Structure formats: structure tokens, C-alpha cells
Short mmCIF file of all heavy atoms in Angstrom, two decimals:
data_model
loop_
_atom_site.label_atom_id
_atom_site.label_comp_id
_atom_site.label_asym_id
_atom_site.label_seq_id
_atom_site.Cartn_x
_atom_site.Cartn_y
_atom_site.Cartn_z
N MET F 1119 -25.97 -5.86 13.98
CA MET F 1119 -24.93 -6.43 14.82
C MET F 1119 -23.69 -5.59 14.71
O MET F 1119 -23.23 -5.27 13.62
CB MET F 1119 -24.66 -7.87 14.35
CG MET F 1119 -23.61 -8.54 15.13
SD MET F 1119 -23.48 -10.22 14.51
CE MET F 1119 -22.41 -10.87 15.72
N ARG F 1120 -23.13 -5.22 15.84
CA ARG F 1120 -21.96 -4.36 15.82
C ARG F 1120 -20.79 -5.13 16.46
O ARG F 1120 -20.90 -5.72 17.54
CB ARG F 1120 -22.24 -3.11 16.66
CG ARG F 1120 -21.09 -2.19 16.69
CD ARG F 1120 -21.43 -0.94 17.48
NE ARG F 1120 -20.20 -0.26 17.73
CZ ARG F 1120 -20.07 0.80 18.45
NH1 ARG F 1120 -21.14 1.32 19.01
NH2 ARG F 1120 -18.92 1.36 18.64
N LEU F 1121 -19.68 -5.10 15.75
CA LEU F 1121 -18.48 -5.72 16.26
C LEU F 1121 -17.70 -4.65 17.03
O LEU F 1121 -17.42 -3.60 16.50
CB LEU F 1121 -17.61 -6.25 15.13
CG LEU F 1121 -18.22 -7.39 14.34
CD1 LEU F 1121 -17.31 -7.75 13.19
CD2 LEU F 1121 -18.51 -8.58 15.20
N ASP F 1122 -17.37 -4.94 18.23
CA ASP F 1122 -16.63 -3.98 19.06
C ASP F 1122 -15.22 -4.51 19.29
O ASP F 1122 -15.01 -5.48 19.99
CB ASP F 1122 -17.35 -3.78 20.40
CG ASP F 1122 -16.76 -2.61 21.17
OD1 ASP F 1122 -16.18 -1.71 20.53
OD2 ASP F 1122 -16.90 -2.62 22.39
N PHE F 1123 -14.25 -3.84 18.66
CA PHE F 1123 -12.85 -4.21 18.83
C PHE F 1123 -12.30 -3.41 20.00
O PHE F 1123 -12.59 -2.26 20.17
CB PHE F 1123 -12.03 -3.91 17.59
CG PHE F 1123 -12.42 -4.77 16.41
CD1 PHE F 1123 -13.03 -4.19 15.31
CD2 PHE F 1123 -12.12 -6.11 16.39
CE1 PHE F 1123 -13.39 -4.99 14.22
CE2 PHE F 1123 -12.45 -6.90 15.33
CZ PHE F 1123 -13.07 -6.35 14.23
N GLY F 1124 -11.43 -4.03 20.73
CA GLY F 1124 -10.75 -3.33 21.80
C GLY F 1124 -9.73 -2.37 21.21
O GLY F 1124 -9.37 -2.42 20.03
N HIS F 1125 -9.28 -1.45 22.04
CA HIS F 1125 -8.31 -0.43 21.58
C HIS F 1125 -7.04 -1.09 21.03
O HIS F 1125 -6.51 -0.70 20.00
CB HIS F 1125 -7.97 0.51 22.73
CG HIS F 1125 -6.92 1.52 22.39
ND1 HIS F 1125 -7.17 2.51 21.49
CD2 HIS F 1125 -5.65 1.67 22.79
CE1 HIS F 1125 -6.09 3.27 21.38
NE2 HIS F 1125 -5.13 2.76 22.18
N ARG F 1126 -6.56 -2.11 21.70
CA ARG F 1126 -5.34 -2.78 21.26
C ARG F 1126 -5.55 -3.52 19.94
O ARG F 1126 -4.65 -3.57 19.10
CB ARG F 1126 -4.83 -3.74 22.35
CG ARG F 1126 -4.36 -3.03 23.58
CD ARG F 1126 -3.93 -4.04 24.62
NE ARG F 1126 -3.83 -3.43 25.93
CZ ARG F 1126 -2.70 -3.01 26.46
NH1 ARG F 1126 -1.59 -3.11 25.81
NH2 ARG F 1126 -2.68 -2.47 27.66
N ASP F 1127 -6.70 -4.10 19.76
CA ASP F 1127 -6.98 -4.81 18.53
C ASP F 1127 -7.02 -3.86 17.34
O ASP F 1127 -6.51 -4.17 16.28
CB ASP F 1127 -8.33 -5.54 18.63
CG ASP F 1127 -8.30 -6.70 19.61
OD1 ASP F 1127 -7.19 -7.22 19.89
OD2 ASP F 1127 -9.37 -7.05 20.15
N ARG F 1128 -7.66 -2.72 17.55
CA ARG F 1128 -7.72 -1.69 16.47
C ARG F 1128 -6.33 -1.20 16.13
O ARG F 1128 -5.99 -1.02 14.94
CB ARG F 1128 -8.58 -0.52 16.92
CG ARG F 1128 -9.79 -0.36 16.08
CD ARG F 1128 -10.56 0.84 16.50
NE ARG F 1128 -11.08 0.58 17.85
CZ ARG F 1128 -11.55 1.51 18.64
NH1 ARG F 1128 -11.58 2.75 18.27
NH2 ARG F 1128 -12.00 1.22 19.84
N GLU F 1129 -5.50 -0.98 17.12
CA GLU F 1129 -4.17 -0.47 16.90
C GLU F 1129 -3.32 -1.50 16.14
O GLU F 1129 -2.60 -1.16 15.20
CB GLU F 1129 -3.49 -0.15 18.23
CG GLU F 1129 -2.18 0.58 18.11
CD GLU F 1129 -1.65 0.98 19.46
OE1 GLU F 1129 -2.39 1.60 20.24
OE2 GLU F 1129 -0.50 0.64 19.75
N ALA F 1130 -3.43 -2.76 16.49
CA ALA F 1130 -2.70 -3.81 15.80
C ALA F 1130 -3.19 -3.95 14.37
O ALA F 1130 -2.38 -4.15 13.43
CB ALA F 1130 -2.87 -5.12 16.52
N LEU F 1131 -4.47 -3.81 14.16
CA LEU F 1131 -5.03 -3.90 12.81
C LEU F 1131 -4.51 -2.78 11.94
O LEU F 1131 -4.12 -2.99 10.78
CB LEU F 1131 -6.56 -3.86 12.89
CG LEU F 1131 -7.30 -4.00 11.57
CD1 LEU F 1131 -7.06 -5.41 11.00
CD2 LEU F 1131 -8.79 -3.77 11.78
N LEU F 1132 -4.48 -1.56 12.45
CA LEU F 1132 -4.00 -0.42 11.69
C LEU F 1132 -2.52 -0.54 11.40
O LEU F 1132 -2.07 -0.17 10.31
CB LEU F 1132 -4.31 0.88 12.41
CG LEU F 1132 -5.79 1.24 12.53
CD1 LEU F 1132 -5.97 2.52 13.33
CD2 LEU F 1132 -6.38 1.42 11.13
N LYS F 1133 -1.74 -1.03 12.35
CA LYS F 1133 -0.31 -1.22 12.11
C LYS F 1133 -0.07 -2.25 11.04
O LYS F 1133 0.92 -2.19 10.30
CB LYS F 1133 0.40 -1.63 13.38
CG LYS F 1133 0.63 -0.48 14.34
CD LYS F 1133 1.39 -0.89 15.53
CE LYS F 1133 1.55 0.25 16.49
NZ LYS F 1133 2.28 -0.13 17.71
N GLY F 1134 -0.94 -3.23 10.91
CA GLY F 1134 -0.82 -4.23 9.88
C GLY F 1134 -1.00 -3.68 8.46
O GLY F 1134 -0.43 -4.18 7.50
N TYR F 1135 -1.78 -2.62 8.35
CA TYR F 1135 -2.03 -1.99 7.05
C TYR F 1135 -0.94 -0.96 6.68
O TYR F 1135 -0.90 -0.55 5.52
CB TYR F 1135 -3.38 -1.30 7.03
CG TYR F 1135 -4.53 -2.22 6.82
CD1 TYR F 1135 -5.42 -2.48 7.84
CD2 TYR F 1135 -4.73 -2.88 5.61
CE1 TYR F 1135 -6.50 -3.35 7.65
CE2 TYR F 1135 -5.79 -3.73 5.39
CZ TYR F 1135 -6.67 -3.97 6.44
OH TYR F 1135 -7.70 -4.79 6.26
N LEU F 1136 -0.13 -0.55 7.61
CA LEU F 1136 0.83 0.50 7.37
C LEU F 1136 1.79 0.18 6.22
O LEU F 1136 1.98 1.04 5.34
CB LEU F 1136 1.59 0.85 8.63
CG LEU F 1136 2.49 2.04 8.53
CD1 LEU F 1136 1.69 3.31 8.21
CD2 LEU F 1136 3.25 2.22 9.85
N PRO F 1137 2.41 -1.00 6.13
CA PRO F 1137 3.30 -1.28 5.00
C PRO F 1137 2.62 -1.19 3.65
O PRO F 1137 3.17 -0.68 2.68
CB PRO F 1137 3.83 -2.67 5.27
CG PRO F 1137 3.64 -2.90 6.72
CD PRO F 1137 2.44 -2.09 7.12
N TYR F 1138 1.38 -1.69 3.57
CA TYR F 1138 0.63 -1.63 2.34
C TYR F 1138 0.34 -0.18 1.93
O TYR F 1138 0.51 0.20 0.78
CB TYR F 1138 -0.70 -2.40 2.45
CG TYR F 1138 -1.49 -2.40 1.17
CD1 TYR F 1138 -1.13 -3.25 0.13
CD2 TYR F 1138 -2.54 -1.53 1.02
CE1 TYR F 1138 -1.84 -3.26 -1.04
CE2 TYR F 1138 -3.25 -1.51 -0.19
CZ TYR F 1138 -2.91 -2.38 -1.21
OH TYR F 1138 -3.59 -2.32 -2.36
N LEU F 1139 -0.05 0.64 2.93
CA LEU F 1139 -0.33 2.05 2.61
C LEU F 1139 0.93 2.78 2.16
O LEU F 1139 0.86 3.62 1.23
CB LEU F 1139 -0.95 2.71 3.82
CG LEU F 1139 -2.34 2.25 4.21
CD1 LEU F 1139 -2.77 2.92 5.52
CD2 LEU F 1139 -3.33 2.58 3.12
N VAL F 1140 2.05 2.51 2.79
CA VAL F 1140 3.30 3.16 2.39
C VAL F 1140 3.68 2.74 0.96
O VAL F 1140 4.09 3.56 0.14
CB VAL F 1140 4.43 2.83 3.40
CG1 VAL F 1140 5.80 3.27 2.89
CG2 VAL F 1140 4.14 3.49 4.73
N GLY F 1141 3.56 1.48 0.66
CA GLY F 1141 3.85 0.98 -0.68
C GLY F 1141 2.91 1.55 -1.73
O GLY F 1141 3.32 1.88 -2.85
N THR F 1142 1.67 1.70 -1.35
CA THR F 1142 0.68 2.29 -2.29
C THR F 1142 1.02 3.74 -2.56
O THR F 1142 0.96 4.18 -3.71
CB THR F 1142 -0.74 2.21 -1.68
OG1 THR F 1142 -1.04 0.83 -1.47
CG2 THR F 1142 -1.79 2.77 -2.62
N LEU F 1143 1.40 4.49 -1.54
CA LEU F 1143 1.81 5.86 -1.74
C LEU F 1143 3.04 5.97 -2.63
O LEU F 1143 3.13 6.81 -3.52
CB LEU F 1143 2.06 6.54 -0.38
CG LEU F 1143 2.47 8.00 -0.43
CD1 LEU F 1143 1.40 8.85 -1.08
CD2 LEU F 1143 2.77 8.49 0.97
N ALA F 1144 4.01 5.10 -2.40
CA ALA F 1144 5.23 5.08 -3.21
C ALA F 1144 4.88 4.76 -4.68
O ALA F 1144 5.39 5.39 -5.61
CB ALA F 1144 6.23 4.06 -2.67
N GLY F 1145 3.99 3.80 -4.89
CA GLY F 1145 3.54 3.48 -6.25
C GLY F 1145 2.83 4.64 -6.91
O GLY F 1145 3.00 4.90 -8.10
N LEU F 1146 2.04 5.35 -6.14
CA LEU F 1146 1.32 6.50 -6.67
C LEU F 1146 2.28 7.60 -7.07
O LEU F 1146 2.17 8.22 -8.14
CB LEU F 1146 0.30 7.03 -5.67
CG LEU F 1146 -0.51 8.26 -6.05
CD1 LEU F 1146 -1.36 7.95 -7.27
CD2 LEU F 1146 -1.37 8.72 -4.92
N LEU F 1147 3.26 7.87 -6.23
CA LEU F 1147 4.29 8.87 -6.54
C LEU F 1147 5.09 8.48 -7.80
O LEU F 1147 5.42 9.33 -8.64
CB LEU F 1147 5.21 9.12 -5.36
CG LEU F 1147 4.55 9.79 -4.14
CD1 LEU F 1147 5.54 9.84 -2.98
CD2 LEU F 1147 4.08 11.18 -4.52
N LEU F 1148 5.41 7.20 -7.91
CA LEU F 1148 6.10 6.71 -9.10
C LEU F 1148 5.25 6.88 -10.35
O LEU F 1148 5.72 7.29 -11.40
CB LEU F 1148 6.51 5.26 -8.92
CG LEU F 1148 7.35 4.64 -10.02
CD1 LEU F 1148 8.68 5.38 -10.20
CD2 LEU F 1148 7.59 3.18 -9.73
N ALA F 1149 3.97 6.58 -10.24
CA ALA F 1149 3.06 6.75 -11.35
C ALA F 1149 2.94 8.21 -11.78
O ALA F 1149 2.95 8.51 -12.97
CB ALA F 1149 1.67 6.19 -11.02
N LEU F 1150 2.88 9.10 -10.81
CA LEU F 1150 2.83 10.54 -11.11
C LEU F 1150 4.09 11.00 -11.82
O LEU F 1150 4.05 11.74 -12.79
CB LEU F 1150 2.63 11.34 -9.84
CG LEU F 1150 1.24 11.39 -9.26
CD1 LEU F 1150 1.27 12.00 -7.86
CD2 LEU F 1150 0.31 12.18 -10.16
N THR F 1151 5.23 10.50 -11.36
CA THR F 1151 6.52 10.89 -11.96
C THR F 1151 6.63 10.37 -13.38
O THR F 1151 6.97 11.10 -14.29
CB THR F 1151 7.69 10.31 -11.10
OG1 THR F 1151 7.56 10.80 -9.78
CG2 THR F 1151 9.00 10.74 -11.67
N ILE F 1152 6.33 9.10 -13.61
CA ILE F 1152 6.44 8.55 -14.94
C ILE F 1152 5.42 9.18 -15.87
O ILE F 1152 5.76 9.52 -17.02
CB ILE F 1152 6.18 7.01 -14.90
CG1 ILE F 1152 7.35 6.32 -14.17
CG2 ILE F 1152 6.02 6.42 -16.30
CD1 ILE F 1152 7.12 4.85 -13.91
N SER F 1153 4.24 9.42 -15.40
CA SER F 1153 3.20 10.06 -16.24
C SER F 1153 3.62 11.48 -16.63
O SER F 1153 3.42 11.90 -17.77
CB SER F 1153 1.88 10.12 -15.48
OG SER F 1153 0.90 10.80 -16.25
N GLY F 1154 4.25 12.20 -15.71
CA GLY F 1154 4.70 13.56 -16.00
C GLY F 1154 5.87 13.58 -16.95
O GLY F 1154 5.96 14.41 -17.85
N LEU F 1155 6.82 12.66 -16.75
CA LEU F 1155 8.00 12.63 -17.62
C LEU F 1155 7.69 12.21 -19.03
O LEU F 1155 8.25 12.73 -20.00
CB LEU F 1155 9.07 11.68 -17.02
CG LEU F 1155 9.77 12.16 -15.76
CD1 LEU F 1155 10.66 11.06 -15.22
CD2 LEU F 1155 10.55 13.42 -16.03
N LEU F 1156 6.79 11.24 -19.17
CA LEU F 1156 6.45 10.73 -20.49
C LEU F 1156 5.23 11.40 -21.11
O LEU F 1156 4.84 11.06 -22.22
CB LEU F 1156 6.23 9.20 -20.42
CG LEU F 1156 7.41 8.37 -19.93
CD1 LEU F 1156 7.00 6.90 -19.86
CD2 LEU F 1156 8.61 8.56 -20.84
N THR F 1157 4.63 12.32 -20.38
CA THR F 1157 3.41 13.03 -20.77
C THR F 1157 2.33 12.03 -21.32
O THR F 1157 1.84 12.21 -22.40
CB THR F 1157 3.67 14.14 -21.80
OG1 THR F 1157 4.24 13.57 -22.98
CG2 THR F 1157 4.60 15.20 -21.22
N LEU F 1158 2.06 11.04 -20.51
CA LEU F 1158 1.06 10.03 -20.89
C LEU F 1158 -0.33 10.59 -20.73
O LEU F 1158 -0.62 11.35 -19.82
CB LEU F 1158 1.20 8.80 -20.04
CG LEU F 1158 2.50 8.00 -20.18
CD1 LEU F 1158 2.55 6.87 -19.16
CD2 LEU F 1158 2.66 7.46 -21.57
N ARG F 1159 -1.22 10.19 -21.59
CA ARG F 1159 -2.63 10.57 -21.53
C ARG F 1159 -3.48 9.38 -21.91
O ARG F 1159 -3.06 8.44 -22.57
CB ARG F 1159 -2.94 11.71 -22.55
CG ARG F 1159 -2.19 12.98 -22.30
CD ARG F 1159 -2.76 13.73 -21.12
NE ARG F 1159 -2.00 14.94 -20.88
CZ ARG F 1159 -1.30 15.15 -19.78
NH1 ARG F 1159 -1.25 14.28 -18.84
NH2 ARG F 1159 -0.63 16.28 -19.62
N GLY F 1160 -4.71 9.39 -21.47
CA GLY F 1160 -5.68 8.36 -21.86
C GLY F 1160 -5.44 7.02 -21.18
O GLY F 1160 -5.10 6.93 -20.01
N THR F 1161 -5.57 5.95 -21.98
CA THR F 1161 -5.51 4.59 -21.47
C THR F 1161 -4.16 4.25 -20.84
O THR F 1161 -4.16 3.63 -19.76
CB THR F 1161 -5.86 3.59 -22.58
OG1 THR F 1161 -7.15 3.90 -23.11
CG2 THR F 1161 -5.87 2.18 -22.06
N PRO F 1162 -3.03 4.59 -21.44
CA PRO F 1162 -1.75 4.26 -20.79
C PRO F 1162 -1.60 4.90 -19.39
O PRO F 1162 -1.12 4.24 -18.47
CB PRO F 1162 -0.69 4.80 -21.74
CG PRO F 1162 -1.35 4.89 -23.07
CD PRO F 1162 -2.80 5.19 -22.76
N GLN F 1163 -2.09 6.13 -19.26
CA GLN F 1163 -2.05 6.78 -17.96
C GLN F 1163 -2.96 6.07 -16.96
O GLN F 1163 -2.62 5.88 -15.81
CB GLN F 1163 -2.44 8.25 -18.10
CG GLN F 1163 -2.30 9.03 -16.81
CD GLN F 1163 -2.74 10.48 -16.96
OE1 GLN F 1163 -3.60 10.77 -17.76
NE2 GLN F 1163 -2.14 11.37 -16.19
N LEU F 1164 -4.12 5.69 -17.42
CA LEU F 1164 -5.08 4.98 -16.54
C LEU F 1164 -4.49 3.66 -16.07
O LEU F 1164 -4.60 3.31 -14.90
CB LEU F 1164 -6.38 4.74 -17.31
CG LEU F 1164 -7.50 4.03 -16.57
CD1 LEU F 1164 -7.95 4.89 -15.37
CD2 LEU F 1164 -8.65 3.74 -17.48
N VAL F 1165 -3.87 2.91 -16.96
CA VAL F 1165 -3.27 1.63 -16.61
C VAL F 1165 -2.12 1.86 -15.61
O VAL F 1165 -1.99 1.11 -14.63
CB VAL F 1165 -2.77 0.88 -17.88
CG1 VAL F 1165 -1.90 -0.31 -17.51
CG2 VAL F 1165 -3.94 0.49 -18.74
N LEU F 1166 -1.31 2.86 -15.83
CA LEU F 1166 -0.22 3.19 -14.94
C LEU F 1166 -0.72 3.49 -13.53
O LEU F 1166 -0.20 2.99 -12.56
CB LEU F 1166 0.56 4.39 -15.51
CG LEU F 1166 1.88 4.74 -14.85
CD1 LEU F 1166 2.91 3.67 -15.17
CD2 LEU F 1166 2.36 6.09 -15.36
N PHE F 1167 -1.74 4.30 -13.41
CA PHE F 1167 -2.30 4.68 -12.13
C PHE F 1167 -3.10 3.56 -11.50
O PHE F 1167 -3.33 3.58 -10.28
CB PHE F 1167 -3.16 5.94 -12.23
CG PHE F 1167 -2.37 7.20 -12.25
CD1 PHE F 1167 -2.01 7.82 -13.41
CD2 PHE F 1167 -1.94 7.76 -11.04
CE1 PHE F 1167 -1.26 8.97 -13.42
CE2 PHE F 1167 -1.19 8.91 -11.02
CZ PHE F 1167 -0.84 9.52 -12.21
N ALA F 1168 -3.51 2.57 -12.27
CA ALA F 1168 -4.21 1.42 -11.68
C ALA F 1168 -3.22 0.36 -11.14
O ALA F 1168 -3.43 -0.21 -10.11
CB ALA F 1168 -5.12 0.80 -12.72
N LEU F 1169 -2.13 0.17 -11.88
CA LEU F 1169 -1.22 -0.93 -11.54
C LEU F 1169 -0.14 -0.55 -10.53
O LEU F 1169 0.09 -1.32 -9.60
CB LEU F 1169 -0.54 -1.45 -12.81
CG LEU F 1169 -1.45 -2.18 -13.79
CD1 LEU F 1169 -0.67 -2.66 -15.01
CD2 LEU F 1169 -2.11 -3.38 -13.12
N LEU F 1170 0.51 0.57 -10.70
CA LEU F 1170 1.67 0.88 -9.85
C LEU F 1170 1.33 0.99 -8.35
O LEU F 1170 2.06 0.46 -7.52
CB LEU F 1170 2.40 2.12 -10.35
CG LEU F 1170 3.26 1.88 -11.58
CD1 LEU F 1170 4.00 3.16 -12.00
CD2 LEU F 1170 4.25 0.77 -11.38
N PRO F 1171 0.26 1.70 -7.94
CA PRO F 1171 -0.05 1.72 -6.53
C PRO F 1171 -0.36 0.34 -5.94
O PRO F 1171 0.09 0.01 -4.85
CB PRO F 1171 -1.25 2.65 -6.43
CG PRO F 1171 -1.14 3.54 -7.59
CD PRO F 1171 -0.57 2.66 -8.69
N ALA F 1172 -1.08 -0.49 -6.69
CA ALA F 1172 -1.40 -1.82 -6.20
C ALA F 1172 -0.15 -2.70 -6.09
O ALA F 1172 0.04 -3.42 -5.10
CB ALA F 1172 -2.43 -2.49 -7.12
N ILE F 1173 0.71 -2.63 -7.10
CA ILE F 1173 1.92 -3.42 -7.08
C ILE F 1173 2.87 -2.92 -5.98
O ILE F 1173 3.48 -3.71 -5.27
CB ILE F 1173 2.62 -3.36 -8.47
CG1 ILE F 1173 1.78 -4.13 -9.49
CG2 ILE F 1173 4.02 -3.92 -8.39
CD1 ILE F 1173 2.24 -3.95 -10.92
N GLY F 1174 2.97 -1.61 -5.83
CA GLY F 1174 3.82 -1.06 -4.76
C GLY F 1174 3.35 -1.48 -3.39
O GLY F 1174 4.16 -1.83 -2.55
N GLY F 1175 2.06 -1.47 -3.16
CA GLY F 1175 1.53 -1.90 -1.88
C GLY F 1175 1.78 -3.36 -1.60
O GLY F 1175 2.15 -3.76 -0.51
N ALA F 1176 1.61 -4.19 -2.64
CA ALA F 1176 1.80 -5.64 -2.47
C ALA F 1176 3.29 -5.94 -2.18
O ALA F 1176 3.60 -6.75 -1.34
CB ALA F 1176 1.37 -6.36 -3.73
N ILE F 1177 4.18 -5.27 -2.88
CA ILE F 1177 5.61 -5.51 -2.66
C ILE F 1177 6.02 -5.04 -1.26
O ILE F 1177 6.75 -5.77 -0.57
CB ILE F 1177 6.44 -4.79 -3.77
CG1 ILE F 1177 6.25 -5.49 -5.09
CG2 ILE F 1177 7.92 -4.76 -3.36
CD1 ILE F 1177 6.87 -4.79 -6.27
N ALA F 1178 5.59 -3.88 -0.87
CA ALA F 1178 5.94 -3.38 0.47
C ALA F 1178 5.41 -4.30 1.57
O ALA F 1178 6.08 -4.57 2.57
CB ALA F 1178 5.42 -1.97 0.64
N GLU F 1179 4.21 -4.76 1.39
CA GLU F 1179 3.59 -5.68 2.38
C GLU F 1179 4.38 -7.00 2.44
O GLU F 1179 4.66 -7.50 3.54
CB GLU F 1179 2.16 -5.94 2.05
CG GLU F 1179 1.40 -6.74 3.06
CD GLU F 1179 -0.06 -6.91 2.74
OE1 GLU F 1179 -0.41 -6.92 1.53
OE2 GLU F 1179 -0.85 -7.03 3.66
N ARG F 1180 4.77 -7.51 1.33
CA ARG F 1180 5.50 -8.77 1.28
C ARG F 1180 6.88 -8.63 1.91
O ARG F 1180 7.33 -9.49 2.68
CB ARG F 1180 5.61 -9.27 -0.15
CG ARG F 1180 6.22 -10.62 -0.23
CD ARG F 1180 6.13 -11.16 -1.65
NE ARG F 1180 6.30 -12.59 -1.57
CZ ARG F 1180 5.63 -13.45 -2.25
NH1 ARG F 1180 4.71 -13.04 -3.08
NH2 ARG F 1180 5.89 -14.73 -2.17
N VAL F 1181 7.57 -7.54 1.61
CA VAL F 1181 8.89 -7.28 2.21
C VAL F 1181 8.76 -7.15 3.73
O VAL F 1181 9.58 -7.67 4.48
CB VAL F 1181 9.53 -6.02 1.60
CG1 VAL F 1181 10.73 -5.55 2.40
CG2 VAL F 1181 9.93 -6.29 0.15
N SER F 1182 7.73 -6.47 4.16
CA SER F 1182 7.52 -6.27 5.59
C SER F 1182 7.23 -7.62 6.28
O SER F 1182 7.77 -7.87 7.39
CB SER F 1182 6.34 -5.33 5.82
OG SER F 1182 6.00 -5.26 7.18
N GLU F 1183 6.47 -8.47 5.68
CA GLU F 1183 6.18 -9.78 6.24
C GLU F 1183 7.43 -10.64 6.32
O GLU F 1183 7.65 -11.32 7.31
CB GLU F 1183 5.11 -10.48 5.42
CG GLU F 1183 3.72 -9.97 5.62
CD GLU F 1183 2.71 -10.68 4.75
OE1 GLU F 1183 3.04 -11.72 4.13
OE2 GLU F 1183 1.57 -10.21 4.70
N ARG F 1184 8.25 -10.58 5.28
CA ARG F 1184 9.48 -11.40 5.32
C ARG F 1184 10.43 -10.92 6.38
O ARG F 1184 11.10 -11.69 7.03
CB ARG F 1184 10.17 -11.34 3.93
CG ARG F 1184 9.46 -12.21 2.95
CD ARG F 1184 10.27 -12.36 1.69
NE ARG F 1184 9.57 -13.22 0.76
CZ ARG F 1184 10.08 -13.58 -0.39
NH1 ARG F 1184 11.29 -13.19 -0.75
NH2 ARG F 1184 9.41 -14.38 -1.19
N ARG F 1185 10.53 -9.58 6.57
CA ARG F 1185 11.40 -9.04 7.62
C ARG F 1185 10.90 -9.41 8.98
O ARG F 1185 11.70 -9.71 9.86
CB ARG F 1185 11.52 -7.52 7.47
CG ARG F 1185 12.40 -7.11 6.37
CD ARG F 1185 12.67 -5.65 6.44
NE ARG F 1185 13.62 -5.28 5.41
CZ ARG F 1185 14.05 -4.06 5.21
NH1 ARG F 1185 13.60 -3.10 5.98
NH2 ARG F 1185 14.91 -3.80 4.27
N SER F 1186 9.60 -9.39 9.19
CA SER F 1186 9.06 -9.73 10.53
C SER F 1186 9.21 -11.23 10.79
O SER F 1186 9.31 -11.64 11.95
CB SER F 1186 7.60 -9.31 10.63
OG SER F 1186 6.79 -10.05 9.77
N ASP F 1187 9.24 -12.06 9.76
CA ASP F 1187 9.44 -13.51 9.97
C ASP F 1187 10.86 -13.81 10.40
O ASP F 1187 11.09 -14.77 11.09
CB ASP F 1187 9.12 -14.29 8.68
CG ASP F 1187 7.61 -14.33 8.39
OD1 ASP F 1187 6.83 -14.06 9.31
OD2 ASP F 1187 7.26 -14.66 7.25
N LYS F 1188 11.82 -13.00 9.97
CA LYS F 1188 13.22 -13.23 10.31
C LYS F 1188 13.51 -12.92 11.77
O LYS F 1188 14.37 -13.48 12.37
CB LYS F 1188 14.15 -12.40 9.40
CG LYS F 1188 14.20 -12.91 7.98
CD LYS F 1188 15.19 -12.09 7.18
CE LYS F 1188 15.26 -12.60 5.75
NZ LYS F 1188 16.18 -11.82 4.94
N PHE F 1189 12.78 -11.96 12.31
CA PHE F 1189 13.07 -11.53 13.69
C PHE F 1189 12.21 -12.20 14.68
O PHE F 1189 11.25 -12.49 14.88
CB PHE F 1189 12.93 -10.00 13.83
CG PHE F 1189 13.95 -9.27 13.00
CD1 PHE F 1189 13.58 -8.55 11.91
CD2 PHE F 1189 15.27 -9.32 13.35
CE1 PHE F 1189 14.49 -7.85 11.15
CE2 PHE F 1189 16.20 -8.62 12.60
CZ PHE F 1189 15.80 -7.88 11.51
#
């Protein structure tokens, strides 16, 4: 079974993910910076790279939703 989305539906779906992707990228850049400055290795580095991108994406998505609710 194949679901066929229209062009407009696909575009709206992708725009909905944009804030999360931007936040994830920001979290990844922050994790890279902190890891480089503190020269983290092993488990602390793994935890940093697991948490910061996910948290950054969630925060950016939430801020975006709140701003769109105001307008």
C-alpha cells in the first residue's frame, strides 16, 4: 500500500520539521564546541552528543509552536 501525498502536503510536512532540524543542528554544534573545549572522551562525550541535539531540537520546536500560536 502506497500513500500518495500531494505536493502541498509534502511541503507543509517538511516545513513543520524545519524548527526541529535547526534546533538539532544548534545542539550538535554546541556539543562539538563543549567537547572540544573540555576535551571530553568516552562516556561523557557520548552523553553530550546524545542529549544536546535532542534537547536543542525540542526547545526550538516548542518555541516555534508558541510563536505560531501568538500570531
Side-chain angles (χ1 to χ4, degrees):
M1119 179 177 189
R1120 181 178 166 184
L1121 296 176
D1122 190 25
F1123 293 111
H1125 176 68
R1126 292 178 197 261
D1127 292 335
R1128 242 182 295 164
E1129 189 174 308
L1131 182 65
L1132 292 176
K1133 283 183 182 178
Y1135 281 111
L1136 187 62
Y1138 182 79
L1139 292 174
V1140 169
T1142 301
L1143 180 61
L1146 179 62
L1147 291 174
L1148 184 62
L1150 283 168
T1151 303
I1152 292 172
S1153 177
L1155 290 174
L1156 300 177
T1157 60
L1158 296 174
R1159 299 284 179 245
T1161 303
Q1163 185 182 30
L1164 181 64
V1165 169
L1166 190 70
F1167 278 96
L1169 292 180
L1170 284 182
I1173 291 171
I1177 290 172
E1179 186 176 30
R1180 187 171 198 140
V1181 167
S1182 173
E1183 285 178 10
R1184 284 190 179 185
R1185 284 190 176 180
S1186 66
D1187 287 344
K1188 288 183 180 179
F1189 295 111

